[in-house]
Amino acid sequence: MNYMYILSGMSFAGKSVLAHQISEAKHIEIIDPDDIAHEKGLGLHGEFLSDAVWQSIHHEAEDRARSLLYTGKGIVYDTTAFNKEQRDHLRKIANADGATPIVIIVSITREEAFKRWQENNISQHRSLVHIEDFQMCADAFTFPGDDEKYLVYHAGEDISSWIANNLT
């Protein structure tokens, strides 16, 4: 059985760190819209990207996901997926290609995520994120309700243990 692990959470929550650990543990590829943007030379210096640009990037990421899922491969989909509509859309992609979707909420306080954003602006350990993009994602993020099935990874938890205890 193949899985589509859908990571959801605010920017700087730790989704990409978790994605890489899941990828390594499960020997599956990561689909990350941010990586696709960077392949196109977009968002490398913290510039604001329009909704139309992000829509195009997400469309390409979803096409890549479909291609892998269609061949029976599992993936980690590393994105903000900050509301139920976006998470449901990704669940439908998984289901359409015979994969089991598993939504993982990477939980962090907005204050801690913002602190990480500020630290990154100094260290530039990862690509810069425009403040408007950060704020939009933080403002729009909604924790799933009772009608959604999901797992929660709390930022700072031991990732290896969490994977071993929560992912089959």
Side-chain angles (χ1 to χ4, degrees), residues 27-72:
H27 308 288
I28 57 178
E29 289 188 47
I30 299 169
I31 303 294
D32 183 346
D34 287 343
D35 288 346
I36 293 169
H38 298 160
E39 288 170 16
K40 297 176 178 297
L42 302 170
L44 295 172
H45 307 290
E47 66 272 19
F48 181 76
L49 301 180
S50 71
D51 288 344
V53 169
W54 276 118
Q55 186 176 24
S56 172
I57 291 165
H58 281 280
H59 182 75
E60 185 170 337
E62 291 167 10
D63 284 347
R64 291 183 188 187
R66 286 182 187 101
S67 294
L68 290 167
L69 294 170
Y70 180 76
T71 63

Side-chain angles (χ1 to χ4, degrees), residues 1-103:
M1 174 174 285
N2 60 328
Y3 294 95
M4 179 175 176
Y5 299 100
I6 303 165
L7 302 189
S8 175
M10 285 186 260
S11 297
F12 293 91
K15 296 179 304 296
S16 295
V17 173
L18 180 59
H20 282 52
Q21 291 292 321
I22 294 171
S23 172
E24 187 176 301
K26 301 297 182 183
H27 308 288
I28 57 178
E29 289 188 47
I30 299 169
I31 303 294
D32 183 346
D34 287 343
D35 288 346
I36 293 169
H38 298 160
E39 288 170 16
K40 297 176 178 297
L42 302 170
L44 295 172
H45 307 290
E47 66 272 19
F48 181 76
L49 301 180
S50 71
D51 288 344
V53 169
W54 276 118
Q55 186 176 24
S56 172
I57 291 165
H58 281 280
H59 182 75
E60 185 170 337
E62 291 167 10
D63 284 347
R64 291 183 188 187
R66 286 182 187 101
S67 294
L68 290 167
L69 294 170
Y70 180 76
T71 63
K73 295 179 180 174
I75 62 168
V76 180
Y77 200 94
D78 180 9
T79 188
T80 52
F82 48 72
N83 62 36
K84 182 180 185 323
E85 180 182 1
Q86 291 176 348
R87 292 186 292 266
D88 283 348
H89 175 73
L90 294 171
R91 285 182 181 104
K92 286 178 186 173
I93 289 172
N95 288 325
D97 288 305
T100 300
I102 298 177
V103 172

Side-chain angles (χ1 to χ4, degrees), residues 63-147:
D63 284 347
R64 291 183 188 187
R66 286 182 187 101
S67 294
L68 290 167
L69 294 170
Y70 180 76
T71 63
K73 295 179 180 174
I75 62 168
V76 180
Y77 200 94
D78 180 9
T79 188
T80 52
F82 48 72
N83 62 36
K84 182 180 185 323
E85 180 182 1
Q86 291 176 348
R87 292 186 292 266
D88 283 348
H89 175 73
L90 294 171
R91 285 182 181 104
K92 286 178 186 173
I93 289 172
N95 288 325
D97 288 305
T100 300
I102 298 177
V103 172
I104 302 170
I105 303 300
V106 181
S107 181
I108 191 170
T109 65
R110 183 183 180 127
E111 293 76 21
E112 181 62 26
F114 184 68
K115 179 180 171 189
R116 291 178 178 190
W117 176 85
Q118 289 175 310
E119 290 169 355
N120 187 69
N121 283 346
I122 296 166
S123 72
Q124 296 187 16
H125 179 72
R126 62 171 266 195
S127 294
L128 299 175
V129 173
H130 193 279
I131 186 63
E132 290 181 30
D133 285 328
F134 175 85
Q135 290 172 335
M136 184 274 301
C137 289
D139 291 344
F141 182 77
T142 56
F143 210 84
D146 293 339
D147 59 336

